[in-house]
Amino acid sequence: MQVPLTNWPQGNIELRRHLASLSPITVMTRPELKNFRRIVVKVGSSLLIDAAAGAVKEAWLEALAADLARLHAEGRDVLVVSSGSIALGRSKLKLPRGPLKLEESQGAAAVGQIALARLWSKVLAAHGIDAGQILVTLQDTEERRRYLNARSTIAKLLEWRAIPVINENDTVATNEIRYGDNDRLAARVATMASADLLVLLSDIDGLYDAPPGANPNAKLIPVVDSVSAEIEGMAGAAESELSRGGMTTKIEAAKIATTAGTHMLIASGKIAHPLQAIADGGRCTWFLTPANPVTARKRWIAGSLEPKGTLIIDAGAVTALRGGASLLPAGVIRVEGHFARGDAVVVRGPDTHEIGRGLVAYDAENADRIKGHSSSDAARILGVDGRAEMIHRDDLVVGAGPA
Ligand code: GLU
Protein backbone atom coordinates (compact mmCIF):
# COMPACT_ATOMS: atom_id res chain seq x y z
CA MET A 1 0.00 0.00 0.00
CA GLN A 2 1.24 3.47 -0.77
CA VAL A 3 0.48 6.47 1.35
CA PRO A 4 -0.34 9.47 -0.84
CA LEU A 5 1.84 12.40 0.15
CA THR A 6 -1.18 14.48 0.98
CA ASN A 7 -1.92 12.06 3.80
CA TRP A 8 1.21 12.93 5.66
CA PRO A 9 1.09 15.19 8.67
CA GLN A 10 2.02 18.78 8.02
CA GLY A 11 4.84 18.83 10.56
CA ASN A 12 7.96 17.93 8.68
CA ILE A 13 8.28 19.98 5.55
CA GLU A 14 11.76 18.79 4.73
CA LEU A 15 10.66 15.19 4.94
CA ARG A 16 7.67 15.90 2.72
CA ARG A 17 9.95 17.53 0.16
CA HIS A 18 12.29 14.60 0.34
CA LEU A 19 9.42 12.16 -0.13
CA ALA A 20 8.07 14.17 -3.03
CA SER A 21 11.45 13.86 -4.72
CA LEU A 22 11.39 10.05 -4.48
CA SER A 23 9.85 7.87 -7.12
CA PRO A 24 6.42 6.61 -5.98
CA ILE A 25 7.73 3.06 -5.70
CA THR A 26 10.16 3.96 -2.94
CA VAL A 27 7.65 5.89 -0.82
CA MET A 28 7.47 4.25 2.60
CA THR A 29 4.30 2.48 3.55
CA ARG A 30 4.26 3.44 7.18
CA PRO A 31 4.76 6.83 8.76
CA GLU A 32 7.52 7.42 11.29
CA LEU A 33 7.32 8.89 14.76
CA LYS A 34 9.59 11.73 13.77
CA ASN A 35 7.00 13.04 11.31
CA PHE A 36 4.62 14.06 14.06
CA ARG A 37 4.36 17.34 15.88
CA ARG A 38 1.87 16.61 18.68
CA ILE A 39 1.68 13.11 20.13
CA VAL A 40 -0.71 11.67 22.72
CA VAL A 41 0.54 8.50 24.42
CA LYS A 42 -1.97 6.32 26.25
CA VAL A 43 -0.70 4.04 28.98
CA GLY A 44 -2.89 1.27 30.35
CA SER A 45 -3.14 0.18 33.98
CA SER A 46 -1.70 -3.28 33.38
CA LEU A 47 1.50 -1.79 31.95
CA LEU A 48 1.97 0.54 34.88
CA ILE A 49 0.99 -1.67 37.78
CA ASP A 50 2.01 -5.18 38.67
CA ALA A 51 -1.31 -6.41 40.03
CA ALA A 52 0.16 -9.52 41.68
CA ALA A 53 2.82 -7.58 43.56
CA GLY A 54 0.50 -4.60 44.09
CA ALA A 55 3.33 -2.32 43.00
CA VAL A 56 4.07 0.22 40.31
CA LYS A 57 6.53 -0.87 37.62
CA GLU A 58 8.81 2.05 38.32
CA ALA A 59 11.74 1.00 36.14
CA TRP A 60 9.40 0.61 33.16
CA LEU A 61 7.83 3.99 33.86
CA GLU A 62 11.23 5.65 34.09
CA ALA A 63 12.20 4.16 30.71
CA LEU A 64 8.95 5.42 29.19
CA ALA A 65 9.55 8.87 30.69
CA ALA A 66 12.98 8.89 29.00
CA ASP A 67 11.27 8.15 25.65
CA LEU A 68 8.73 10.91 26.24
CA ALA A 69 11.48 13.34 27.23
CA ARG A 70 13.31 12.57 24.02
CA LEU A 71 10.26 13.37 21.87
CA HIS A 72 9.78 16.50 23.97
CA ALA A 73 13.42 17.55 23.54
CA GLU A 74 13.00 17.23 19.77
CA GLY A 75 10.43 20.02 20.04
CA ARG A 76 7.31 17.90 19.83
CA ASP A 77 4.27 18.48 22.04
CA VAL A 78 3.70 15.43 24.20
CA LEU A 79 0.57 14.49 26.14
CA VAL A 80 0.00 11.42 28.29
CA VAL A 81 -3.30 9.71 29.01
CA SER A 82 -2.57 7.51 31.97
CA SER A 83 -4.82 4.89 33.53
CA GLY A 84 -4.04 3.32 36.82
CA SER A 85 -5.89 5.32 39.46
CA ILE A 86 -8.28 2.56 40.42
CA ALA A 87 -5.68 -0.22 40.22
CA LEU A 88 -3.18 1.79 42.24
CA GLY A 89 -5.75 2.85 44.86
CA ARG A 90 -6.87 -0.71 45.14
CA SER A 91 -3.40 -1.94 45.89
CA LYS A 92 -2.62 0.92 48.31
CA LEU A 93 -5.86 0.30 50.21
CA LYS A 94 -5.26 -3.47 50.07
CA LEU A 95 -8.80 -4.05 48.82
CA PRO A 96 -9.76 -7.70 48.25
CA ARG A 97 -9.85 -9.06 44.68
CA GLY A 98 -13.13 -9.08 42.78
CA PRO A 99 -15.39 -6.42 41.35
CA LEU A 100 -15.69 -3.07 43.16
CA LYS A 101 -18.94 -1.28 43.92
CA LEU A 102 -19.25 2.18 42.38
CA GLU A 103 -18.33 4.08 45.55
CA GLU A 104 -15.45 1.68 46.16
CA SER A 105 -13.94 2.31 42.74
CA GLN A 106 -14.50 6.06 43.19
CA GLY A 107 -12.75 5.93 46.56
CA ALA A 108 -9.94 3.76 45.19
CA ALA A 109 -9.50 6.26 42.35
CA ALA A 110 -9.26 9.13 44.85
CA VAL A 111 -6.39 7.41 46.65
CA GLY A 112 -4.81 6.06 43.48
CA GLN A 113 -4.94 9.22 41.39
CA ILE A 114 -2.96 11.26 43.90
CA ALA A 115 -0.24 8.60 43.86
CA LEU A 116 -0.38 8.32 40.07
CA ALA A 117 0.08 12.08 39.67
CA ARG A 118 3.02 12.01 42.05
CA LEU A 119 4.68 9.25 40.05
CA TRP A 120 4.32 11.06 36.73
CA SER A 121 5.49 14.28 38.27
CA LYS A 122 8.59 12.52 39.62
CA VAL A 123 9.59 10.61 36.50
CA LEU A 124 9.16 13.63 34.22
CA ALA A 125 10.90 15.97 36.66
CA ALA A 126 13.96 13.74 36.31
CA HIS A 127 14.15 15.17 32.77
CA GLY A 128 13.41 18.73 33.84
CA ILE A 129 9.82 18.50 32.56
CA ASP A 130 6.75 19.68 34.50
CA ALA A 131 3.73 17.37 34.52
CA GLY A 132 0.27 18.97 34.62
CA GLN A 133 -2.61 16.83 35.83
CA ILE A 134 -5.94 17.10 34.00
CA LEU A 135 -8.91 15.00 35.10
CA VAL A 136 -11.78 14.99 32.65
CA THR A 137 -15.30 13.69 32.60
CA LEU A 138 -17.35 12.61 29.61
CA GLN A 139 -19.08 16.00 29.51
CA ASP A 140 -15.74 17.82 29.31
CA THR A 141 -15.16 16.36 25.89
CA GLU A 142 -18.73 16.21 24.64
CA GLU A 143 -20.13 19.59 25.72
CA ARG A 144 -18.75 22.42 23.64
CA ARG A 145 -18.29 25.01 26.37
CA ARG A 146 -16.41 22.62 28.62
CA TYR A 147 -14.60 21.18 25.64
CA LEU A 148 -13.21 24.62 24.82
CA ASN A 149 -12.21 25.07 28.42
CA ALA A 150 -10.31 21.79 28.66
CA ARG A 151 -8.75 22.50 25.28
CA SER A 152 -7.42 25.91 26.35
CA THR A 153 -5.90 24.42 29.50
CA ILE A 154 -4.13 21.81 27.41
CA ALA A 155 -2.94 24.46 24.95
CA LYS A 156 -1.53 26.59 27.77
CA LEU A 157 0.33 23.64 29.33
CA LEU A 158 1.84 22.77 25.96
CA GLU A 159 2.85 26.37 25.40
CA TRP A 160 4.68 26.19 28.74
CA ARG A 161 6.32 22.97 27.51
CA ALA A 162 4.73 20.98 30.33
CA ILE A 163 3.40 17.47 29.66
CA PRO A 164 -0.32 17.18 30.42
CA VAL A 165 -1.07 13.91 32.21
CA ILE A 166 -4.73 13.13 31.70
CA ASN A 167 -7.14 10.60 33.17
CA GLU A 168 -10.85 10.28 33.59
CA ASN A 169 -12.05 11.82 36.83
CA ASP A 170 -13.01 8.44 38.25
CA THR A 171 -13.84 9.89 41.67
CA VAL A 172 -16.99 11.50 40.29
CA ALA A 173 -17.66 9.41 37.20
CA THR A 174 -20.66 7.13 37.56
CA ASN A 175 -21.49 4.20 35.31
CA GLU A 176 -23.94 6.20 33.20
CA ILE A 177 -21.66 9.14 32.64
CA ARG A 178 -18.24 7.74 32.15
CA TYR A 179 -15.97 6.57 29.40
CA GLY A 180 -14.85 3.64 31.48
CA ASP A 181 -11.96 2.95 29.14
CA ASN A 182 -9.07 5.23 28.44
CA ASP A 183 -8.73 4.15 24.80
CA ARG A 184 -11.72 6.21 23.69
CA LEU A 185 -10.91 8.91 26.21
CA ALA A 186 -7.42 9.19 24.70
CA ALA A 187 -8.89 9.44 21.20
CA ARG A 188 -11.14 12.31 22.29
CA VAL A 189 -8.23 14.01 24.04
CA ALA A 190 -6.14 13.64 20.89
CA THR A 191 -8.82 15.24 18.73
CA MET A 192 -9.46 17.92 21.35
CA ALA A 193 -5.77 18.80 21.38
CA SER A 194 -5.55 18.63 17.54
CA ALA A 195 -2.82 16.01 17.97
CA ASP A 196 -1.56 14.43 14.78
CA LEU A 197 -0.73 11.08 16.42
CA LEU A 198 -2.23 8.91 19.13
CA VAL A 199 -0.15 6.00 20.43
CA LEU A 200 -2.00 3.30 22.37
CA LEU A 201 0.51 1.31 24.38
CA SER A 202 -1.11 -2.03 24.93
CA ASP A 203 -0.45 -5.55 26.14
CA ILE A 204 -0.49 -6.67 22.50
CA ASP A 205 1.71 -5.34 19.71
CA GLY A 206 -1.04 -4.54 17.23
CA LEU A 207 -4.11 -5.77 15.42
CA TYR A 208 -4.04 -9.35 14.14
CA ASP A 209 -6.18 -10.91 11.42
CA ALA A 210 -7.05 -13.76 13.83
CA PRO A 211 -6.61 -14.33 17.58
CA PRO A 212 -2.81 -14.65 17.86
CA GLY A 213 -2.89 -16.93 20.92
CA ALA A 214 -5.23 -19.50 19.41
CA ASN A 215 -4.04 -19.29 15.81
CA PRO A 216 -0.31 -19.65 15.11
CA ASN A 217 -0.87 -18.34 11.57
CA ALA A 218 -2.39 -15.08 12.79
CA LYS A 219 -0.71 -12.14 11.09
CA LEU A 220 -0.15 -8.66 12.42
CA ILE A 221 -1.62 -5.97 10.17
CA PRO A 222 1.03 -3.26 9.87
CA VAL A 223 -1.12 -0.55 8.25
CA VAL A 224 -4.88 -0.02 8.30
CA ASP A 225 -5.87 2.73 5.91
CA SER A 226 -9.52 2.72 6.80
CA VAL A 227 -11.46 1.18 9.68
CA SER A 228 -13.74 -1.06 7.62
CA ALA A 229 -16.33 -3.59 8.79
CA GLU A 230 -13.73 -6.27 8.11
CA ILE A 231 -11.28 -4.58 10.50
CA GLU A 232 -13.98 -4.28 13.14
CA GLY A 233 -14.65 -8.00 12.73
CA MET A 234 -11.00 -8.78 13.41
CA ALA A 235 -11.14 -6.74 16.59
CA GLY A 236 -14.09 -8.80 17.80
CA ALA A 237 -12.19 -12.00 17.10
CA ALA A 238 -9.12 -10.85 18.98
CA GLU A 239 -11.20 -9.76 21.97
CA SER A 240 -10.74 -12.92 23.98
CA GLU A 241 -6.99 -12.37 23.89
CA LEU A 242 -7.09 -9.19 25.85
CA SER A 243 -7.96 -7.93 29.23
CA ARG A 244 -10.06 -4.84 29.94
CA GLY A 245 -10.07 -2.08 27.34
CA GLY A 246 -9.70 -4.78 24.68
CA MET A 247 -9.34 -4.50 20.93
CA THR A 248 -12.92 -3.32 20.43
CA THR A 249 -12.41 -0.07 22.36
CA LYS A 250 -9.11 0.38 20.52
CA ILE A 251 -10.85 0.12 17.16
CA GLU A 252 -13.48 2.58 18.38
CA ALA A 253 -10.64 4.87 19.38
CA ALA A 254 -9.17 4.44 15.88
CA LYS A 255 -12.48 5.50 14.37
CA ILE A 256 -12.71 8.63 16.55
CA ALA A 257 -9.09 9.57 15.90
CA THR A 258 -8.91 8.93 12.17
CA THR A 259 -12.23 10.66 11.50
CA ALA A 260 -10.87 13.74 13.25
CA GLY A 261 -7.59 13.79 11.35
CA THR A 262 -5.36 12.02 13.90
CA HIS A 263 -3.25 9.00 12.95
CA MET A 264 -3.23 6.23 15.55
CA LEU A 265 -1.03 3.28 16.31
CA ILE A 266 -1.23 0.31 18.63
CA ALA A 267 2.07 -1.03 19.94
CA SER A 268 3.24 -3.20 22.76
CA GLY A 269 3.99 -1.44 26.00
CA LYS A 270 5.32 -4.60 27.58
CA ILE A 271 8.90 -3.77 26.69
CA ALA A 272 11.23 -1.15 28.09
CA HIS A 273 11.43 2.01 25.93
CA PRO A 274 8.30 1.21 23.89
CA LEU A 275 8.32 4.53 22.01
CA GLN A 276 11.94 4.16 21.06
CA ALA A 277 11.05 0.71 19.71
CA ILE A 278 8.40 2.27 17.46
CA ALA A 279 10.84 4.95 16.32
CA ASP A 280 13.29 2.16 15.45
CA GLY A 281 10.68 0.52 13.24
CA GLY A 282 9.33 -2.05 15.74
CA ARG A 283 6.14 -4.01 15.24
CA CYS A 284 2.87 -2.14 15.56
CA THR A 285 -0.35 -1.40 13.68
CA TRP A 286 -0.82 2.05 12.15
CA PHE A 287 -4.30 3.43 11.52
CA LEU A 288 -3.99 6.18 8.95
CA THR A 289 -6.22 9.18 8.56
CA PRO A 290 -6.89 10.84 5.24
CA ALA A 291 -7.41 14.23 6.92
CA ASN A 292 -5.32 16.50 9.10
CA PRO A 293 -6.57 17.60 12.55
CA VAL A 294 -7.15 21.25 11.76
CA THR A 295 -9.00 20.57 8.49
CA ALA A 296 -11.15 17.93 10.17
CA ARG A 297 -11.98 20.22 13.03
CA LYS A 298 -12.82 23.05 10.68
CA ARG A 299 -15.05 20.77 8.66
CA TRP A 300 -16.86 19.94 11.87
CA ILE A 301 -17.30 23.63 12.69
CA ALA A 302 -18.39 24.50 9.16
CA GLY A 303 -20.71 21.60 8.66
CA SER A 304 -22.30 20.22 11.73
CA LEU A 305 -22.92 23.06 14.11
CA GLU A 306 -26.06 25.13 14.31
CA PRO A 307 -25.01 28.80 14.64
CA LYS A 308 -26.52 30.45 17.73
CA GLY A 309 -25.69 34.07 16.90
CA THR A 310 -23.87 36.53 14.69
CA LEU A 311 -20.87 38.80 15.05
CA ILE A 312 -20.72 41.75 12.66
CA ILE A 313 -17.12 42.80 12.15
CA ASP A 314 -15.41 45.82 10.58
CA ALA A 315 -13.57 45.91 7.26
CA GLY A 316 -10.14 45.73 8.91
CA ALA A 317 -11.12 42.54 10.73
CA VAL A 318 -12.48 41.04 7.49
CA THR A 319 -9.05 41.54 5.88
CA ALA A 320 -7.28 40.15 8.96
CA LEU A 321 -9.52 37.05 9.04
CA ARG A 322 -9.02 36.38 5.35
CA GLY A 323 -5.28 36.60 6.01
CA GLY A 324 -5.58 33.80 8.58
CA ALA A 325 -5.75 35.84 11.81
CA SER A 326 -7.94 35.28 14.87
CA LEU A 327 -10.92 37.55 15.47
CA LEU A 328 -10.12 40.05 18.24
CA PRO A 329 -12.78 41.91 20.26
CA ALA A 330 -11.58 45.19 18.67
CA GLY A 331 -12.84 44.12 15.24
CA VAL A 332 -16.41 43.37 16.35
CA ILE A 333 -19.04 46.06 15.65
CA ARG A 334 -22.25 44.30 16.66
CA VAL A 335 -23.33 41.16 18.52
CA GLU A 336 -26.63 39.44 17.73
CA GLY A 337 -28.34 36.41 19.23
CA HIS A 338 -28.14 34.48 22.49
CA PHE A 339 -25.11 32.28 22.62
CA ALA A 340 -22.90 30.72 25.24
CA ARG A 341 -19.14 30.44 25.25
CA GLY A 342 -18.14 27.71 22.81
CA ASP A 343 -21.25 28.02 20.64
CA ALA A 344 -20.94 28.34 16.90
CA VAL A 345 -21.60 31.82 15.52
CA VAL A 346 -21.69 33.30 12.03
CA VAL A 347 -19.22 36.09 11.33
CA ARG A 348 -20.44 38.77 8.91
CA GLY A 349 -18.73 41.76 7.37
CA PRO A 350 -19.98 45.37 7.71
CA ASP A 351 -22.34 44.75 4.76
CA THR A 352 -23.66 41.61 6.58
CA HIS A 353 -22.08 39.33 3.95
CA GLU A 354 -21.03 36.03 5.58
CA ILE A 355 -17.27 35.83 6.13
CA GLY A 356 -17.12 32.60 8.08
CA ARG A 357 -18.13 30.62 11.14
CA GLY A 358 -16.42 29.83 14.37
CA LEU A 359 -16.64 28.84 18.01
CA VAL A 360 -16.87 32.00 20.09
CA ALA A 361 -14.80 32.36 23.28
CA TYR A 362 -17.30 34.62 25.10
CA ASP A 363 -21.04 34.43 25.75
CA ALA A 364 -23.28 36.99 24.00
CA GLU A 365 -23.48 39.34 26.96
CA ASN A 366 -19.72 39.55 27.49
CA ALA A 367 -19.03 39.64 23.75
CA ASP A 368 -21.28 42.70 23.58
CA ARG A 369 -19.51 44.37 26.50
CA ILE A 370 -16.04 44.01 25.01
CA LYS A 371 -16.81 44.55 21.31
CA GLY A 372 -14.71 47.32 19.80
CA HIS A 373 -12.20 47.18 22.66
CA SER A 374 -8.57 46.14 22.68
CA SER A 375 -7.88 42.78 24.30
CA SER A 376 -6.32 44.44 27.36
CA ASP A 377 -9.34 46.77 27.77
CA ALA A 378 -11.58 43.74 27.37
CA ALA A 379 -9.81 42.04 30.27
CA ARG A 380 -10.33 45.15 32.43
CA ILE A 381 -14.01 45.47 31.48
CA LEU A 382 -14.72 41.86 32.35
CA GLY A 383 -12.56 41.98 35.46
CA VAL A 384 -10.90 38.71 34.50
CA ASP A 385 -8.05 37.84 32.25
CA GLY A 386 -10.06 35.95 29.66
CA ARG A 387 -9.04 34.92 26.18
CA ALA A 388 -7.40 37.56 24.03
CA GLU A 389 -9.38 36.38 20.99
CA MET A 390 -13.11 36.55 20.39
CA ILE A 391 -12.66 33.55 18.07
CA HIS A 392 -9.32 31.79 17.88
CA ARG A 393 -8.16 31.10 14.33
CA ASP A 394 -8.13 27.34 14.99
CA ASP A 395 -11.84 27.65 15.79
CA LEU A 396 -12.64 29.75 12.76
CA VAL A 397 -13.56 28.69 9.24
CA VAL A 398 -13.32 31.56 6.80
CA GLY A 399 -15.37 31.30 3.66
CA ALA A 400 -17.60 28.51 5.01
CA GLY A 401 -21.34 28.31 4.75
CA PRO A 402 -23.72 29.94 2.32
CA ALA A 403 -22.82 33.46 1.18
N1 GLU B 1 -9.57 5.57 34.27
C1 GLU B 1 -9.30 4.27 34.79
C2 GLU B 1 -8.18 4.33 35.83
O1 GLU B 1 -7.37 5.20 35.81
C3 GLU B 1 -8.82 3.27 33.75
C4 GLU B 1 -9.63 3.04 32.54
C5 GLU B 1 -8.87 2.07 31.61
O2 GLU B 1 -8.11 1.24 32.09
O3 GLU B 1 -9.03 2.15 30.38
O4 GLU B 1 -8.07 3.46 36.67
Side-chain angles (χ1 to χ4, degrees):
M1 195 220 65
Q2 282 178 16
V3 183
L5 288 177
T6 47
N7 286 3
W8 288 69
Q10 302 301 309
N12 192 329
I13 292 175
E14 260 170 52
L15 181 94
R16 281 158 61 80
R17 272 201 206 113
H18 169 66
L19 285 173
S21 72
L22 297 173
S23 84
I25 290 142
T26 56
V27 170
M28 288 171 277
T29 54
R30 64 175 244 177
E32 290 184 64
L33 228 44
K34 65 172 196 267
N35 301 338
F36 296 93
R37 136 199 92 77
R38 182 167 291 177
I39 305 178
V40 176
V41 179
K42 182 257 171 177
V43 182
S45 305
S46 64
L47 297 176
L48 207 59
I49 292 142
D50 180 342
V56 173
K57 298 179 190 164
E58 287 216 33
W60 179 84
L61 184 59
E62 280 163 13
L64 174 64
D67 285 4
L68 295 167
R70 187 167 172 169
L71 294 172
H72 184 267
E74 289 164 354
R76 282 167 241 290
D77 293 335
V78 178
L79 298 91
V80 170
V81 171
S82 175
S83 308
S85 69
I86 299 175
L88 200 52
R90 191 176 186 131
S91 82
K92 282 193 159 298
L93 292 160
K94 303 197 173 35
L95 301 181
R97 285 181 166 272
L100 297 177
K101 292 203 194 84
L102 175 63
E103 61 277 16
E104 287 170 339
S105 59
Q106 289 173 327
V111 171
Q113 184 61 39
I114 215 167
L116 189 61
R118 203 170 135 250
L119 273 171
W120 278 108
S121 175
K122 187 178 91 182
V123 296
L124 291 173
H127 300 274
I129 301 171
D130 289 311
Q133 173 179 262
I134 303 185
L135 298 179
V136 293
T137 60
L138 189 63
Q139 295 97 308
D140 290 322
T141 59
E142 305 309 307
E143 223 176 78
R144 272 201 307 284
R145 191 170 55 84
R146 294 169 66 161
Y147 176 99
L148 275 194
N149 206 22
R151 202 161 65 88
S152 339
T153 311
I154 291 174
K156 189 46 82 182
L157 287 171
L158 294 176
E159 190 187 311
W160 289 336
R161 300 298 292 143
I163 294 191
V165 177
I166 302 157
N167 194 3
E168 181 159 18
N169 192 348
D170 293 307
T171 56
V172 294
T174 61
N175 292 337
E176 303 77 54
I177 51 151
R178 74 195 302 244
Y179 278 94
D181 70 88
N182 276 4
D183 294 325
R184 288 176 309 145
L185 173 70
R188 293 299 281 135
V189 164
T191 69
M192 186 155 80
S194 302
D196 45 15
L197 178 64
L198 166 63
V199 177
L200 297 184
L201 292 180
S202 166
D203 50 5
I204 191 163
D205 52 5
L207 176 67
Y208 283 78
D209 61 359
N215 184 343
N217 296 325
K219 280 196 243 5
L220 181 125
I221 302 169
V223 179
V224 172
D225 50 13
S226 124
V227 184
S228 59
E230 192 193 353
I231 294 292
E232 289 186 61
M234 287 174 196
E239 192 65 80
S240 57
E241 296 299 304
L242 291 163
S243 52
R244 191 160 69 115
M247 199 47 82
T248 303
T249 58
K250 289 181 176 46
I251 297 300
E252 280 175 29
K255 278 208 251 176
I256 296 171
T258 55
T259 308
T262 304
H263 292 270
M264 190 184 103
L265 72 84
I266 300 175
S268 172
K270 282 163 84 181
I271 47 172
H273 297 287
L275 299 174
Q276 191 52 48
I278 300 165
D280 294 341
R283 281 164 76 79
C284 62
T285 299
W286 283 89
F287 295 81
L288 304 181
T289 176
N292 87 40
V294 177
T295 333
R297 186 177 159 66
K298 293 203 171 192
R299 202 177 309 131
W300 173 64
I301 293 170
S304 56
L305 298 177
E306 182 68 25
K308 295 277 165 43
T310 304
L311 301 178
I312 314 287
I313 64 172
D314 64 24
V318 172
T319 312
L321 258 52
R322 291 202 164 128
S326 295
L327 175 63
L328 301 178
V332 178
I333 311 170
R334 207 163 71 233
V335 175
E336 292 170 357
H338 298 284
F339 50 83
R341 200 165 102 67
D343 276 344
V345 293
V346 178
V347 178
R348 294 185 186 280
D351 58 357
T352 74
H353 181 86
E354 179 166 336
I355 305 299
R357 289 168 186 227
L359 305 183
V360 63
Y362 292 95
D363 62 26
E365 194 188 327
N366 284 335
D368 194 53
R369 286 169 67 198
I370 62 173
K371 67 173 193 291
H373 289 279
S374 70
S375 298
S376 54
D377 277 357
R380 213 184 39 248
I381 293 167
L382 298 179
V384 287
D385 215 357
R387 317 248 176 268
E389 304 90 10
M390 186 74 93
I391 303 180
H392 189 275
R393 62 193 162 97
D394 286 354
D395 297 328
L396 187 67
V397 194
V398 175

